[in-house]
Amino acid sequence: MSVNSEMREQLRNMIATMLMVSPPEIAEGTSLAALNTSLGSAKVRLGLKRLGLALPAGAAPATFGGLLVALSSEAVPQAPEKIDSVPRSMPSGGNGGFTGLQVGLDVEDIRSMPVASDYWEHEFYRGSFSKSEIAYAVLHAEPRTHFAGFWCAKEALRKCDPAFAGVVPERTAVAHDADGRPYLTLETEAGLERLAHAVSISHTADVATAVVVLSVAAAVIVAAPAPASSAVAAIASVVAPEAAAKKPRGLAKLFGI
């Protein structure tokens, strides 16, 4: 693949828009460090997709010139990603040092989410969120606040569970149960599956954050939520079996155990 002069200008305009500078300011030595984040990488990926381009697997150009070189390189086509709803074993000594307990955390500046007049048609939102997520967010006064929370949940999932590290954002989504509590789903070849990972999302006026937790006992994709008492017992048995046996008064009162 080669990048001709017309395509080079389209790429220059795309990067200028993302870096919020004028196109003439984009030279081959222009740093792309500001786009070296999960959100920035997603914007670049979707922008390139619109132009019919894609970076080779693992490429992370540091400059605009490096981007042009990477796009001019011959890349081996990647096989379509595939995640089946099967149990996955978790590595020992996970995050925080608790064997069998994995935790992912992500924080995002709400202002970093693109401004859009129509979130249904905007390239970034169409390429990063499910229709149900867009429908949920646009019902609120400030949709970007909720989009930022959803994005954090997707990223926290990838940090929590290595099996999702290469899954594109649009294949995972945040949904809500009848009580308004969030949960995570995955789009698979068999259809939409509910994940066993617990998720909590919060935000201020400026920042959104999400935490995703998975225990070995729940390391399968499930179709329905486990009873609260079962979830508490599973986590307690992983973190501190002795403490679970003693049933501290505060925990017993809170969860009814």
Side-chain angles (χ1 to χ4, degrees), residues 32-236:
L32 302 183
L35 299 175
N36 189 24
T37 64
S38 62
L39 188 59
S41 296
K43 292 177 181 178
V44 171
R45 177 178 64 85
L46 292 168
L48 292 175
K49 182 178 180 181
R50 173 171 49 83
L51 297 176
L53 302 172
L55 283 170
T63 64
F64 180 65
L67 175 65
L68 297 177
V69 171
L71 290 172
S72 298
S73 302
E74 292 296 330
V76 178
Q78 289 181 274
E81 61 172 341
K82 178 181 178 182
I83 287 189
D84 297 317
S85 46
V86 296
R88 297 182 302 279
S89 60
M90 301 299 294
S92 60
N95 295 341
F98 296 120
T99 300
L101 185 65
Q102 291 293 114
V103 180
L105 169 67
D106 196 67
V107 179
E108 191 66 57
D109 186 336
I110 295 171
R111 293 168 297 182
S112 66
M113 306 300 290
V115 176
S117 58
D118 185 345
Y119 292 98
W120 289 101
E121 295 300 325
H122 192 280
E123 176 182 86
F124 172 75
Y125 295 101
R126 282 197 309 161
S128 301
F129 299 94
S130 68
K131 291 181 179 179
S132 61
E133 287 176 312
I134 297 175
Y136 181 94
V138 298
L139 289 177
H140 295 79
E142 181 43 78
R144 290 196 302 164
T145 298
H146 299 279
F147 281 123
F150 294 160
W151 182 267
C152 287
K154 295 169 190 278
E155 285 302 303
L157 172 63
R158 287 152 182 75
K159 295 175 181 178
C160 168
D161 191 339
F164 291 86
V167 180
V168 292
E170 57 266 35
R171 287 192 57 195
T172 55
V174 175
H176 297 82
D177 64 18
D179 296 317
R181 293 172 296 192
Y183 62 90
L184 293 163
T185 64
L186 171 69
E187 180 186 344
T188 70
E189 293 183 348
L192 200 63
E193 300 283 354
R194 179 166 179 166
L195 300 179
H197 307 65
V199 59
S200 179
I201 303 172
S202 187
H203 61 79
T204 66
D206 302 312
V207 175
T209 184
V211 177
V212 173
V213 178
L214 179 68
S215 71
V216 161
V220 293
I221 297 176
V222 296
S229 59
S230 299
V232 172
I235 294 177

